[in-house]
PDB file of all heavy atoms in Angstrom:
ATOM      1  N   ASP A  39     -37.070 -53.630  75.233  1.00 98.00           N
ATOM      2  CA  ASP A  39     -38.466 -53.924  74.883  1.00 98.00           C
ATOM      3  C   ASP A  39     -38.782 -53.263  73.549  1.00 98.00           C
ATOM      4  O   ASP A  39     -38.551 -52.070  73.358  1.00 98.00           O
ATOM      5  CB  ASP A  39     -39.399 -53.394  75.968  1.00 98.00           C
ATOM      6  CG  ASP A  39     -40.863 -53.586  75.615  1.00 98.00           C
ATOM      7  OD1 ASP A  39     -41.208 -54.656  75.085  1.00 98.00           O
ATOM      8  OD2 ASP A  39     -41.657 -52.665  75.866  1.00 98.00           O
ATOM      9  N   CYS A  40     -39.302 -54.044  72.615  1.00 98.00           N
ATOM     10  CA  CYS A  40     -39.664 -53.547  71.288  1.00 98.00           C
ATOM     11  C   CYS A  40     -41.159 -53.742  71.017  1.00 98.00           C
ATOM     12  O   CYS A  40     -41.609 -53.620  69.883  1.00 98.00           O
ATOM     13  CB  CYS A  40     -38.880 -54.304  70.214  1.00 98.00           C
ATOM     14  SG  CYS A  40     -37.103 -54.323  70.447  1.00 98.00           S
ATOM     15  N   SER A  41     -41.918 -54.082  72.038  1.00 96.00           N
ATOM     16  CA  SER A  41     -43.296 -54.535  71.867  1.00 96.00           C
ATOM     17  C   SER A  41     -44.330 -53.458  72.140  1.00 96.00           C
ATOM     18  O   SER A  41     -44.017 -52.373  72.627  1.00 96.00           O
ATOM     19  CB  SER A  41     -43.559 -55.692  72.831  1.00 96.00           C
ATOM     20  OG  SER A  41     -43.640 -55.202  74.157  1.00 96.00           O
ATOM     21  N   SER A  42     -45.581 -53.821  71.861  1.00 92.00           N
ATOM     22  CA  SER A  42     -46.699 -52.951  72.221  1.00 92.00           C
ATOM     23  C   SER A  42     -47.393 -53.449  73.490  1.00 92.00           C
ATOM     24  O   SER A  42     -48.201 -52.732  74.060  1.00 92.00           O
ATOM     25  CB  SER A  42     -47.697 -52.871  71.062  1.00 92.00           C
ATOM     26  OG  SER A  42     -48.101 -54.172  70.693  1.00 92.00           O
ATOM     27  N   ASN A  43     -47.058 -54.664  73.932  1.00 93.00           N
ATOM     28  CA  ASN A  43     -47.716 -55.229  75.114  1.00 93.00           C
ATOM     29  C   ASN A  43     -46.813 -55.319  76.333  1.00 93.00           C
ATOM     30  O   ASN A  43     -47.208 -55.838  77.362  1.00 93.00           O
ATOM     31  CB  ASN A  43     -48.274 -56.618  74.792  1.00 93.00           C
ATOM     32  CG  ASN A  43     -49.439 -56.530  73.841  1.00 93.00           C
ATOM     33  OD1 ASN A  43     -50.264 -55.648  73.948  1.00 93.00           O
ATOM     34  ND2 ASN A  43     -49.502 -57.438  72.896  1.00 93.00           N
ATOM     35  N   GLY A  44     -45.591 -54.854  76.225  1.00 96.00           N
ATOM     36  CA  GLY A  44     -44.712 -54.768  77.378  1.00 96.00           C
ATOM     37  C   GLY A  44     -43.863 -55.991  77.649  1.00 96.00           C
ATOM     38  O   GLY A  44     -44.196 -57.115  77.302  1.00 96.00           O
ATOM     39  N   THR A  45     -42.720 -55.720  78.264  1.00 97.00           N
ATOM     40  CA  THR A  45     -41.779 -56.725  78.739  1.00 97.00           C
ATOM     41  C   THR A  45     -41.489 -56.369  80.188  1.00 97.00           C
ATOM     42  O   THR A  45     -41.281 -55.203  80.512  1.00 97.00           O
ATOM     43  CB  THR A  45     -40.488 -56.704  77.898  1.00 97.00           C
ATOM     44  OG1 THR A  45     -40.833 -56.919  76.521  1.00 97.00           O
ATOM     45  CG2 THR A  45     -39.506 -57.765  78.335  1.00 97.00           C
ATOM     46  N   TYR A  46     -41.485 -57.383  81.042  1.00 96.00           N
ATOM     47  CA  TYR A  46     -41.407 -57.151  82.482  1.00 96.00           C
ATOM     48  C   TYR A  46     -40.288 -57.961  83.120  1.00 96.00           C
ATOM     49  O   TYR A  46     -39.903 -59.011  82.624  1.00 96.00           O
ATOM     50  CB  TYR A  46     -42.729 -57.557  83.153  1.00 96.00           C
ATOM     51  CG  TYR A  46     -43.928 -56.823  82.611  1.00 96.00           C
ATOM     52  CD1 TYR A  46     -44.560 -57.241  81.443  1.00 96.00           C
ATOM     53  CD2 TYR A  46     -44.407 -55.696  83.249  1.00 96.00           C
ATOM     54  CE1 TYR A  46     -45.654 -56.556  80.934  1.00 96.00           C
ATOM     55  CE2 TYR A  46     -45.507 -55.000  82.747  1.00 96.00           C
ATOM     56  CZ  TYR A  46     -46.128 -55.439  81.592  1.00 96.00           C
ATOM     57  OH  TYR A  46     -47.203 -54.759  81.092  1.00 96.00           O
ATOM     58  N   TYR A  47     -39.807 -57.480  84.269  1.00 90.00           N
ATOM     59  CA  TYR A  47     -38.922 -58.264  85.136  1.00 90.00           C
ATOM     60  C   TYR A  47     -39.795 -59.221  85.934  1.00 90.00           C
ATOM     61  O   TYR A  47     -40.999 -59.012  86.065  1.00 90.00           O
ATOM     62  CB  TYR A  47     -38.234 -57.377  86.186  1.00 90.00           C
ATOM     63  CG  TYR A  47     -37.271 -56.371  85.698  1.00 90.00           C
ATOM     64  CD1 TYR A  47     -37.620 -55.033  85.642  1.00 90.00           C
ATOM     65  CD2 TYR A  47     -35.989 -56.735  85.350  1.00 90.00           C
ATOM     66  CE1 TYR A  47     -36.715 -54.076  85.253  1.00 90.00           C
ATOM     67  CE2 TYR A  47     -35.074 -55.777  84.945  1.00 90.00           C
ATOM     68  CZ  TYR A  47     -35.443 -54.457  84.908  1.00 90.00           C
ATOM     69  OH  TYR A  47     -34.550 -53.522  84.520  1.00 90.00           O
ATOM     70  N   SER A  48     -39.155 -60.197  86.582  1.00 83.00           N
ATOM     71  CA  SER A  48     -39.883 -61.135  87.424  1.00 83.00           C
ATOM     72  C   SER A  48     -40.549 -60.444  88.611  1.00 83.00           C
ATOM     73  O   SER A  48     -41.510 -60.951  89.162  1.00 83.00           O
ATOM     74  CB  SER A  48     -38.957 -62.244  87.908  1.00 83.00           C
ATOM     75  OG  SER A  48     -37.787 -61.698  88.473  1.00 83.00           O
ATOM     76  N   ASN A  49     -40.066 -59.273  89.007  1.00 80.00           N
ATOM     77  CA  ASN A  49     -40.666 -58.561  90.139  1.00 80.00           C
ATOM     78  C   ASN A  49     -41.860 -57.700  89.722  1.00 80.00           C
ATOM     79  O   ASN A  49     -42.409 -56.956  90.528  1.00 80.00           O
ATOM     80  CB  ASN A  49     -39.621 -57.709  90.866  1.00 80.00           C
ATOM     81  CG  ASN A  49     -39.067 -56.605  89.995  1.00 80.00           C
ATOM     82  OD1 ASN A  49     -39.511 -56.387  88.875  1.00 80.00           O
ATOM     83  ND2 ASN A  49     -38.071 -55.905  90.494  1.00 80.00           N
ATOM     84  N   GLY A  50     -42.258 -57.776  88.457  1.00 83.00           N
ATOM     85  CA  GLY A  50     -43.430 -57.047  87.977  1.00 83.00           C
ATOM     86  C   GLY A  50     -43.142 -55.683  87.392  1.00 83.00           C
ATOM     87  O   GLY A  50     -44.039 -55.033  86.860  1.00 83.00           O
ATOM     88  N   CYS A  51     -41.902 -55.202  87.482  1.00 92.00           N
ATOM     89  CA  CYS A  51     -41.548 -53.897  86.915  1.00 92.00           C
ATOM     90  C   CYS A  51     -41.490 -53.989  85.394  1.00 92.00           C
ATOM     91  O   CYS A  51     -40.947 -54.936  84.836  1.00 92.00           O
ATOM     92  CB  CYS A  51     -40.205 -53.423  87.445  1.00 92.00           C
ATOM     93  SG  CYS A  51     -40.236 -53.000  89.183  1.00 92.00           S
ATOM     94  N   LYS A  52     -42.036 -52.980  84.740  1.00 95.00           N
ATOM     95  CA  LYS A  52     -42.069 -52.945  83.281  1.00 95.00           C
ATOM     96  C   LYS A  52     -40.813 -52.273  82.753  1.00 95.00           C
ATOM     97  O   LYS A  52     -40.390 -51.232  83.263  1.00 95.00           O
ATOM     98  CB  LYS A  52     -43.303 -52.178  82.819  1.00 95.00           C
ATOM     99  CG  LYS A  52     -43.528 -52.219  81.335  1.00 95.00           C
ATOM    100  CD  LYS A  52     -44.846 -51.552  80.992  1.00 95.00           C
ATOM    101  CE  LYS A  52     -45.106 -51.638  79.503  1.00 95.00           C
ATOM    102  NZ  LYS A  52     -46.377 -51.004  79.150  1.00 95.00           N
ATOM    103  N   LEU A  53     -40.220 -52.855  81.713  1.00 97.00           N
ATOM    104  CA  LEU A  53     -39.084 -52.233  81.042  1.00 97.00           C
ATOM    105  C   LEU A  53     -39.578 -51.056  80.209  1.00 97.00           C
ATOM    106  O   LEU A  53     -40.674 -51.102  79.646  1.00 97.00           O
ATOM    107  CB  LEU A  53     -38.395 -53.240  80.119  1.00 97.00           C
ATOM    108  CG  LEU A  53     -37.648 -54.369  80.806  1.00 97.00           C
ATOM    109  CD1 LEU A  53     -37.483 -55.540  79.868  1.00 97.00           C
ATOM    110  CD2 LEU A  53     -36.311 -53.877  81.275  1.00 97.00           C
ATOM    111  N   GLU A  54     -38.773 -50.029  80.123  1.00 97.00           N
ATOM    112  CA  GLU A  54     -39.123 -48.878  79.304  1.00 97.00           C
ATOM    113  C   GLU A  54     -38.926 -49.235  77.833  1.00 97.00           C
ATOM    114  O   GLU A  54     -37.854 -49.699  77.428  1.00 97.00           O
ATOM    115  CB  GLU A  54     -38.241 -47.691  79.682  1.00 97.00           C
ATOM    116  CG  GLU A  54     -38.616 -46.417  78.995  1.00 97.00           C
ATOM    117  CD  GLU A  54     -37.757 -45.244  79.444  1.00 97.00           C
ATOM    118  OE1 GLU A  54     -37.252 -45.274  80.580  1.00 97.00           O
ATOM    119  OE2 GLU A  54     -37.597 -44.310  78.635  1.00 97.00           O
ATOM    120  N   LYS A  55     -39.953 -49.019  77.028  1.00 97.00           N
ATOM    121  CA  LYS A  55     -39.903 -49.377  75.615  1.00 97.00           C
ATOM    122  C   LYS A  55     -38.777 -48.639  74.902  1.00 97.00           C
ATOM    123  O   LYS A  55     -38.609 -47.427  75.057  1.00 97.00           O
ATOM    124  CB  LYS A  55     -41.237 -49.067  74.937  1.00 97.00           C
ATOM    125  CG  LYS A  55     -41.275 -49.520  73.495  1.00 97.00           C
ATOM    126  CD  LYS A  55     -42.632 -49.352  72.898  1.00 97.00           C
ATOM    127  CE  LYS A  55     -42.613 -49.855  71.463  1.00 97.00           C
ATOM    128  NZ  LYS A  55     -43.957 -49.878  70.902  1.00 97.00           N
ATOM    129  N   GLY A  56     -37.983 -49.394  74.136  1.00 98.00           N
ATOM    130  CA  GLY A  56     -36.910 -48.811  73.340  1.00 98.00           C
ATOM    131  C   GLY A  56     -35.625 -48.524  74.091  1.00 98.00           C
ATOM    132  O   GLY A  56     -34.640 -48.138  73.482  1.00 98.00           O
ATOM    133  N   LYS A  57     -35.607 -48.693  75.400  1.00 97.00           N
ATOM    134  CA  LYS A  57     -34.418 -48.393  76.199  1.00 97.00           C
ATOM    135  C   LYS A  57     -33.696 -49.684  76.572  1.00 97.00           C
ATOM    136  O   LYS A  57     -34.302 -50.625  77.068  1.00 97.00           O
ATOM    137  CB  LYS A  57     -34.826 -47.658  77.477  1.00 97.00           C
ATOM    138  CG  LYS A  57     -33.656 -47.312  78.365  1.00 97.00           C
ATOM    139  CD  LYS A  57     -34.121 -46.643  79.642  1.00 97.00           C
ATOM    140  CE  LYS A  57     -32.928 -46.421  80.558  1.00 97.00           C
ATOM    141  NZ  LYS A  57     -33.352 -45.988  81.883  1.00 97.00           N
ATOM    142  N   ARG A  58     -32.377 -49.706  76.336  1.00 96.00           N
ATOM    143  CA  ARG A  58     -31.551 -50.855  76.759  1.00 96.00           C
ATOM    144  C   ARG A  58     -31.454 -50.847  78.279  1.00 96.00           C
ATOM    145  O   ARG A  58     -31.043 -49.855  78.868  1.00 96.00           O
ATOM    146  CB  ARG A  58     -30.142 -50.736  76.191  1.00 96.00           C
ATOM    147  CG  ARG A  58     -29.968 -51.359  74.852  1.00 96.00           C
ATOM    148  CD  ARG A  58     -28.548 -51.228  74.368  1.00 96.00           C
ATOM    149  NE  ARG A  58     -27.657 -52.026  75.200  1.00 96.00           N
ATOM    150  CZ  ARG A  58     -26.344 -52.023  75.100  1.00 96.00           C
ATOM    151  NH1 ARG A  58     -25.757 -51.249  74.231  1.00 96.00           N
ATOM    152  NH2 ARG A  58     -25.619 -52.773  75.863  1.00 96.00           N
ATOM    153  N   THR A  59     -31.850 -51.949  78.887  1.00 96.00           N
ATOM    154  CA  THR A  59     -31.833 -52.053  80.344  1.00 96.00           C
ATOM    155  C   THR A  59     -30.890 -53.173  80.747  1.00 96.00           C
ATOM    156  O   THR A  59     -31.014 -54.302  80.259  1.00 96.00           O
ATOM    157  CB  THR A  59     -33.252 -52.343  80.880  1.00 96.00           C
ATOM    158  OG1 THR A  59     -34.126 -51.307  80.423  1.00 96.00           O
ATOM    159  CG2 THR A  59     -33.264 -52.398  82.388  1.00 96.00           C
ATOM    160  N   MET A  60     -29.944 -52.878  81.643  1.00 94.00           N
ATOM    161  CA  MET A  60     -28.990 -53.875  82.104  1.00 94.00           C
ATOM    162  C   MET A  60     -29.642 -54.732  83.192  1.00 94.00           C
ATOM    163  O   MET A  60     -30.245 -54.199  84.123  1.00 94.00           O
ATOM    164  CB  MET A  60     -27.736 -53.198  82.651  1.00 94.00           C
ATOM    165  CG  MET A  60     -26.646 -54.180  83.034  1.00 94.00           C
ATOM    166  SD  MET A  60     -25.048 -53.399  83.413  1.00 94.00           S
ATOM    167  CE  MET A  60     -25.482 -52.115  84.539  1.00 94.00           C
TER     168      MET A  60
END
Side-chain angles (χ1 to χ4, degrees):
D39 176 41
C40 307
S41 72
S42 55
N43 291 320
T45 303
Y46 302 82
Y47 294 104
S48 51
N49 64 5
C51 291
K52 187 174 182 180
L53 290 158
E54 186 177 333
K55 185 173 181 172
K57 180 183 175 190
R58 271 181 67 186
T59 303
M60 185 170 49

